[in-house]
Amino acid sequence: MAILDCRDTQISLWQEGTALHSPGFVVLEGSEYHFGQVALEQSRLRPRDSNSRFWWQLSTQPLKPTLGAARHTADLVHSHLRHIHATAGAPAALVLAVPDSMPKEQLSLLLGVAQASDFTVAGLVSRSVLIASNNPDILRAGKAIHLESQLNQTIINELIVENDTIRVVRSTPLPACGLLALQERCVSAIASAFIQQTRYDPRRSAESEQDLYNKLPDILATLRERGEASVDIDGHRSRVTASALAGASERLIKGLEQTKPAADIPIFLDPELHLLPGIEALKGEASTLAANALWDAFTANREHIELSGEDLHLVDQLPLTALSGAAPEFRAEARPEVPNRESTPGTPTAQAMPATDEATHVLIGTRAMPLRGEQVPLAGGFTLKNVNGHWTLHGDGALINGMPSTPQQPLALGDTLSLGTAGHGRLIEVQD
């Protein structure tokens, strides 16, 4: 069984513990649509041919401005669903995890669009309730907040434990606090640093602005780790600090402080918010959700979620029984998953195992390479090196679990590696 996380910031199709991620962006090239990361990295180069609101504004109203053959945003959502489904290997059935902020009319339309696709809808569940159902902190406190990041808004989902079930009692949108607005504030602060230090404005052209946006995740990761970063755009270099970007989160934090019912309530942050400069000023017990929190919660609650035929309805509350003996599904550092190539018969497969186990091989495509000696050469100029008993990844532009790598970052069993155009890898254990 597979589950589709329908959050436009990072729409993710999970199966067997790995995920295919596809941001809610589309760009039109000729008569062909491109979705996800490819569209995201062209969105500022081709703004008239792009759309990042079609999930948020899902409807059958005529699309204005038009974008190719699509009549309305429902057509774009349908095409995106088909793209994700096919790219992930076309699983026969999907459970849909949906935001609680989605109006009933949109929910009904999404269900109709999904049922017109090439898969069976096997369940429909509140993603906030599902995530919280596997987190013991809500059981201890009796309530929690899930701060849900979307492209065009951030949602404050208030959860409560009542009558041995977990449910959302209120969803409050924070306008102008979506991921796109938060990124824009960060980019504006970085552009100001460039102008002050070099008299160069990286937003002077679409190409340099797109380059800055493409590099932003790396910049924020470096700021989170070191407090400052050196940024190079179009041959111009500027130094930026985390404190200079801290104002990007002020409106979000203020909106949450004005809304949350108690100071000591646990707050679950979606992974993207972890890198937001200034987010550490958030008061309360704030923890970043693990990238696989939704998948783990789904595997613990499948019997309560999977429905079919006439029984299909939105599961908006879940029992506490799934929390019995569960371990926390959050950690201080966000470690997003990246797509993993399918294994072929006869090759070792990556297992979802604790990070305390030892990796014995790195799986690149369908080839498992043993971790031996001082270093293991990979494709594209990337290398694994043994540093003080830990394997580390080296090479320009490498990602670990979807996040920019650092030179001495130790790798653990199950970590995924993105090697640019050389493909993807994963640390695995091969047992005799």
Side-chain angles (χ1 to χ4, degrees):
M1 181 60 66
I3 185 168
L4 185 73
D5 187 359
C6 300
R7 181 176 62 103
D8 61 359
T9 305
Q10 195 77 290
I11 297 169
S12 305
L13 197 158
W14 285 89
Q15 48 185 340
E16 302 302 326
T18 60
L20 171 71
H21 300 303
S22 184
F25 281 78
V26 60
V27 65
L28 179 67
E29 185 174 4
S31 59
E32 185 177 358
Y33 294 114
H34 300 286
F35 292 95
Q37 191 67 28
V38 171
L40 171 61
E41 294 179 357
Q42 298 182 45
S43 58
R44 294 183 180 273
L45 296 175
R46 308 173 60 184
R48 295 183 179 180
D49 298 323
S50 301
N51 191 306
S52 61
R53 293 174 171 249
F54 59 101
W55 279 91
W56 181 40
Q57 297 177 339
L58 174 60
S59 76
T60 55
Q61 295 297 315
L63 191 61
K64 295 181 180 179
T66 58
L67 191 68
R71 299 162 297 172
H72 35 60
T73 55
D75 281 344
L76 294 176
V77 168
H78 181 251
S79 296
H80 197 186
L81 283 176
R82 289 173 59 89
H83 165 76
I84 295 171
H85 180 248
T87 305
L94 292 179
V95 168
L96 306 182
V98 297
D100 287 88
S101 58
M102 183 174 284
K104 291 182 179 180
E105 296 79 8
Q106 284 190 339
L107 190 60
S108 297
L109 181 56
L110 175 61
L111 185 58
V113 168
Q115 290 174 331
S117 301
D118 300 325
F119 55 85
T120 299
V121 179
L124 197 62
V125 63
S126 155
R127 66 182 307 271
S128 291
V129 169
L130 179 57
I131 289 170
S133 70
N134 206 40
N135 195 317
D137 262 20
I138 193 171
L139 182 59
R140 173 182 55 80
K143 53 189 173 183
I145 282 177
H146 173 212
L147 199 58
E148 184 176 65
S149 171
Q150 299 178 13
L151 286 179
N152 296 283
Q153 58 184 356
T154 290
I155 305 296
I156 302 172
N157 290 313
E158 298 178 41
L159 297 129
I160 191 171
V161 176
E162 192 174 61
N163 298 325
D164 295 327
T165 62
I166 299 172
R167 61 187 179 91
V168 172
V169 293
R170 183 169 63 169
S171 292
T172 305
L174 294 177
C177 287
L179 186 64
L180 295 180
L182 296 173
Q183 289 178 338
E184 170 61 28
R185 290 171 196 145
C186 291
V187 165
S188 179
I190 295 172
S192 295
F194 266 95
I195 294 170
Q196 292 172 6
Q197 297 173 29
T198 68
R199 297 186 180 180
Y200 169 75
D201 185 356
R203 295 177 297 182
R204 65 186 300 175
S205 71
E207 289 77 12
S208 58
E209 183 182 46
Q210 183 70 69
D211 188 25
L212 177 53
Y213 269 92
N214 292 346
K215 291 179 177 178
L216 187 60
D218 292 11
I219 296 170
L220 296 183
T222 301
L223 291 176
R224 182 71 175 179
E225 180 187 0
R226 305 174 188 172
E228 64 177 58
S230 179
V231 184
D232 193 322
I233 301 293
D234 197 21
H236 301 268
R237 180 169 294 181
S238 177
R239 174 181 171 272
V240 297
T241 63
S243 59
L245 274 65
S249 59
E250 287 181 357
R251 187 165 183 171
L252 175 65
I253 293 175
K254 184 178 180 181
L256 179 59
E257 293 296 330
Q258 292 175 342
T259 303
K260 70 177 184 178
D264 59 347
I265 188 170
I267 303 170
F268 309 145
L269 304 178
D270 276 339
E272 295 86 358
L273 297 175
H274 173 71
L275 294 180
L276 182 64
I279 196 67
E280 61 274 6
L282 195 62
K283 297 178 181 178
E285 302 176 31
S287 299
T288 304
L289 291 162
N292 61 342
L294 185 133
W295 170 258
D296 287 349
F298 172 58
T299 58
N301 283 281
R302 286 183 59 171
E303 63 181 296
H304 304 293
I305 297 171
E306 292 179 0
L307 304 168
S308 61
E310 296 180 358
D311 293 330
L312 188 63
H313 64 273
L314 176 65
V315 177
D316 57 5
Q317 57 184 15
L318 287 169
L320 291 174
T321 52
L323 281 173
S324 177
E329 291 303 324
F330 61 88
R331 46 184 171 240
E333 297 277 337
R335 297 164 60 87
E337 295 284 346
V338 295
N340 190 45
R341 296 179 185 270
E342 284 190 62
S343 60
T344 57
T347 62
T349 55
Q351 301 295 319
M353 301 182 71
T356 53
D357 291 322
E358 184 177 354
T360 62
H361 291 67
V362 57
L363 183 67
I364 305 294
T366 59
R367 181 186 178 194
M369 304 166 62
L371 298 178
R372 298 172 184 164
E374 296 300 319
Q375 65 180 29
V376 178
L378 306 176
F382 295 94
T383 304
L384 291 177
K385 295 182 180 180
N386 194 325
V387 179
N388 298 324
H390 297 284
W391 288 98
T392 57
L393 177 62
H394 299 262
D396 294 337
L399 302 179
I400 300 175
N401 297 314
M403 303 295 290
S405 63
T406 56
Q408 301 300 319
Q409 181 176 346
L411 297 172
L413 178 63
D415 281 348
T416 54
L417 315 177
S418 294
L419 310 176
T421 58
H424 299 93
R426 186 163 189 162
L427 295 191
I428 64 172
E429 179 185 14
V430 177
Q431 299 178 349
D432 294 332

